[in-house]
Amino acid sequence: MKKFSELIYTPTNLNQNLLNRLRENDKSLVRIIFSSRNLGSQGVHILAEALRTNTNLTALDLSSNSIGSEGAHSLCTLLQHQTMIASGNNVDGGGIKTLILGDNNLRDEGMKAIADALENSLIENLWIDDNCIGALGFAVLAGVLQKNSVLKRLHLRHNSFQSLSPLITCTFNKQSLNSVADSNHTLKHVFLNCGYSYECDELASVLKINRTLGKVEARRRKLALFLEEDLVRLMQIDMDPKLLPRLLSILTQHGNISTMLCVMQNLSSEVLSFQRVQDEINSCLGDPMEFEYLSL
């Protein structure tokens, strides 16, 4: 087996020999560092075309190449095409999983292009530091990540947005029970520069849930936290009362016991008679549950 260092290729320029090797899916080209090679948008477009059918390259460093929004659009097309190939082969196939785009003047327009690719992408690790990404681009990114279950690591240092609120909402959307369940439960690491005060602590606590629990358990934990924040919500949920024991089971496993006692004191005797309605609950669960995320 080759050593990790032997799998990293650092070309001095974008030459025809390299492009041919990429087109031919050269198995020795697994990780390429193309940092500070003055590629520009045109060079990235040429490189993206050569990579369209490549399934062996897994990591690509294009930092400090001034690719701008135009180069970002070329990369978006490439990433979408690679995802389509992997889906067509019905495998967790090859393709770029680590993409480093720091210091490329992407701005909001370029961020929108990368976000489009992330809607359905193989990317697990993304560097977009130092790209003048403002509030608009950051909001677009966060909106897409709420539906993304692949990206695990995101580097966002030294950009122009002032608040982490969109990303916090993406990972723990407290608008409703459904929005909590539909939040991102798989993003594990976000790297930021200092300056976001309490928002950093809030985001860190949510990411810790994602990091230490699996997707299903992270979702259940957030549901429990959501219900604990305002117990009145538990009484106002528009759903069949026979499903409430399922909610209670979530709180039992992940919630606060004192909170549980307080909740149960306010439940009707009919709902608390769990054994009496167990058969009806099992019957209800015979079909796909409307609230799938409440199932045990």
Side-chain angles (χ1 to χ4, degrees):
M1 179 180 295
K2 291 186 177 181
K3 296 180 180 178
F4 180 82
S5 59
E6 293 176 335
L7 299 175
I8 300 176
Y9 182 53
T10 309
T12 56
N13 54 56
L14 192 63
N15 55 70
Q16 192 60 48
N17 178 56
L18 173 61
L19 293 173
N20 289 337
R21 291 173 65 189
L22 290 172
R23 292 189 186 99
E24 294 166 3
N25 226 353
D26 189 327
K27 293 184 178 180
S28 68
L29 298 178
V30 179
R31 300 170 179 86
I32 292 182
I33 298 177
F34 231 127
S35 178
S36 303
R37 293 294 186 268
N38 198 30
L39 291 180
S41 59
Q42 184 176 3
V44 167
H45 178 74
I46 294 172
L47 178 62
E49 285 295 310
L51 286 169
R52 278 178 61 83
T53 57
N54 187 294
T55 56
N56 285 311
L57 186 72
T58 61
L60 179 61
D61 182 351
L62 292 174
S63 56
S64 303
N65 274 290
S66 301
I67 72 172
S69 60
E70 189 175 342
H73 281 285
S74 296
L75 289 174
C76 173
T77 302
L78 165 65
L79 296 175
Q80 289 174 333
H81 187 75
Q82 287 194 336
T83 301
M84 183 178 67
I85 291 176
S87 300
N89 292 336
N90 198 28
V91 295
D92 296 331
I96 299 171
K97 294 180 172 60
T98 296
L99 181 61
I100 304 176
L101 296 176
D103 186 26
N104 269 300
N105 197 33
L106 296 181
R107 300 185 178 272
D108 287 347
E109 185 62 31
M111 185 67 262
K112 290 178 186 178
I114 299 301
D116 284 345
L118 291 176
E119 285 189 11
N120 186 18
S121 170
L122 305 172
I123 299 295
E124 297 176 1
N125 310 291
L126 177 64
W127 275 254
I128 45 176
D129 309 289
D130 298 288
N131 272 295
C132 301
I133 298 168
L136 181 59
F138 186 50
V140 171
L141 171 64
V144 167
L145 289 183
Q146 186 159 335
K147 305 172 185 177
N148 181 295
S149 60
V150 178
L151 189 70
K152 304 295 188 296
R153 181 182 294 259
L154 177 62
H155 292 250
L156 280 168
R157 293 188 178 98
H158 307 300
N159 281 293
S160 304
F161 53 85
Q162 299 298 314
S163 172
L164 299 180
S165 179
L167 196 56
I168 293 172
T169 301
C170 155
T171 53
F172 194 175
N173 189 338
K174 300 179 184 179
Q175 184 176 356
S176 68
L177 196 63
N178 284 325
S179 66
V180 174
D182 291 337
S183 298
N184 183 305
H185 309 297
T186 51
L187 181 63
K188 298 181 179 181
H189 303 276
V190 175
F191 298 87
L192 298 154
N193 48 297
C194 299
Y196 297 99
S197 62
Y198 72 92
E199 288 187 318
C200 271
D201 293 335
E202 186 176 356
L203 178 61
S205 66
V206 177
L207 293 177
K208 184 177 180 180
I209 293 173
N210 287 0
R211 193 162 52 247
T212 57
L213 304 174
K215 179 179 179 180
V216 173
E217 288 302 310
R219 182 172 56 175
R220 290 165 62 87
R221 174 61 176 159
K222 291 175 191 176
L223 286 166
L225 290 172
F226 172 77
L227 292 169
E228 281 190 71
E229 285 184 5
D230 185 358
L231 295 178
V232 175
R233 291 179 179 139
L234 189 58
M235 303 297 102
Q236 295 179 339
I237 295 173
D238 183 18
M239 61 185 294
D240 192 323
K242 292 190 293 293
L243 293 179
L244 281 173
R246 293 287 174 173
L247 284 175
L248 296 178
S249 71
I250 295 174
L251 287 173
T252 300
Q253 292 184 36
H254 299 287
N256 180 281
I257 297 301
S258 297
T259 298
M260 279 297 307
L261 293 175
C262 182
V263 171
M264 295 180 72
Q265 287 172 359
N266 288 280
L267 290 178
S268 68
S269 58
E270 178 182 356
V271 173
L272 289 175
S273 301
F274 183 79
Q275 294 298 327
R276 190 160 58 84
V277 299
Q278 185 63 57
D279 291 340
E280 295 179 49
I281 295 174
N282 291 335
S283 175
C284 173
L285 294 176
D287 296 320
M289 290 182 65
E290 181 180 359
F291 297 88
E292 174 270 333
Y293 47 80
L294 298 180
S295 60
L296 297 177

